[in-house]
């Protein structure tokens, strides 16, 4: 997967509520066709981040479960559908194609956990969010990566 430039903004959160608030703020920027890659170790909070973002966009306490076993969950919002993928169990890129990934990217907002399974088949226009464990157990270091269009959008919302 091609590396993207690190965006200026980096975030440190000290609990799950702060991390969820970050996801909710990001949701305000999203529009149809956006691709968000959630990167991080197992258990670092990728699904919790996705859950907060999806609930904010759907305007309800939608039950958002990890798509680890279903591989994809689809959620309706007032303006577009959200496709939440988890590629942790994927072995070959062909499996991703069978899940309608390309069509989803063209027709809604797509969140992907474990995007490394995409290998080099990932669109350049995407936002990568890397979540790492901080010093304390509930601390998270969150870094955004993206092209200039994402840099402008992030700067607009998070300054």
């Amino acid at each position: 997967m091609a590396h993207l430039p690190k965006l200026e903004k980096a975030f440190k959160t000290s609990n799950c509520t702060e991390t969820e608030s970050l996801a909710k703020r990001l949701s305000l920027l999203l529009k149809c066709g956006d691709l968000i890659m959630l990167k991080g170790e197992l258990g670092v909070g990728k699904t919790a981040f996705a859950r907060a973002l999806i609930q904010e966009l759907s305007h309800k306490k939608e039950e958002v479960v990890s798509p680890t076993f279903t591989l994809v969950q689809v959620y309706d919002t007032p303006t577009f559908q959200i496709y939440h993928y988890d590629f942790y169990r994927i072995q070959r890129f062909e499996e991703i194609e069978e899940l309608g990934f390309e069509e989803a990217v063209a027709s809604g907002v797509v969140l992907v956990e474990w995007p490394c399974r995409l290998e080099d088949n990932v669109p350049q226009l995407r936002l990568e969010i890397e979540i790492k464990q901080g010093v304390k157990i509930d601390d998270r270091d969150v870094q955004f990566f993206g092209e200039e269009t994402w840099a402008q959008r992030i700067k607009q919302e998070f300054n």
Side-chain angles (χ1 to χ4, degrees):
M1 190 170 0
H3 292 285
L4 293 174
K6 185 186 294 189
L7 302 183
E8 289 179 26
K9 273 303 206 191
F11 303 89
K12 292 188 180 296
T13 62
S14 58
N15 57 51
C16 190
T17 303
E18 289 180 9
T19 304
E20 290 169 352
S21 292
L22 181 61
K24 290 175 183 179
R25 285 182 65 194
L26 177 65
S27 76
L28 300 173
L29 300 176
L30 299 183
K31 60 185 184 209
C32 191
D34 283 343
L35 175 59
I36 311 297
M37 305 284 191
L38 298 169
K39 301 167 78 175
E41 297 297 319
L42 194 63
V44 79
K46 297 179 298 294
T47 300
F49 191 95
R51 178 180 301 113
L53 190 146
I54 291 165
Q55 288 176 341
E56 186 70 15
L57 287 170
S58 65
H59 305 295
K60 56 186 173 184
K61 278 288 187 187
E62 181 92 40
E63 183 177 347
V64 177
V65 296
S66 174
T68 300
F69 294 102
T70 59
L71 303 179
V72 63
Q73 295 285 106
V74 182
Y75 302 93
D76 291 318
T77 75
T79 52
F80 47 73
Q81 287 189 310
I82 301 173
Y83 299 85
H84 182 194
Y85 288 91
D86 187 327
F87 295 152
Y88 183 74
R89 298 183 320 115
I90 295 292
Q91 300 299 315
R92 299 178 339 273
F93 178 73
E94 292 76 27
E95 294 175 76
I96 294 171
E97 291 177 311
E98 293 168 8
L99 293 171
F101 179 73
E102 289 181 17
E103 294 83 3
V105 171
S107 66
V109 168
V110 175
L111 304 173
V112 177
E113 295 185 45
W114 300 99
C116 56
R117 305 297 199 265
L118 284 165
E119 300 164 355
D120 292 325
N121 302 297
V122 63
Q124 186 67 17
L125 192 54
R126 67 188 186 275
L127 177 66
E128 291 182 4
I129 301 171
E130 186 173 38
I131 305 172
K132 292 183 177 179
Q133 173 79 44
V135 175
K136 296 179 184 171
I137 190 129
D138 291 332
D139 291 353
R140 296 294 180 264
D141 296 325
V142 183
Q143 180 68 59
F144 293 168
F145 297 82
E147 295 299 330
E148 185 58 32
T149 55
W150 272 110
Q152 292 171 7
R153 289 165 74 183
I154 297 296
K155 189 174 186 178
Q156 174 187 337
E157 176 59 30
F158 291 97
N159 270 347

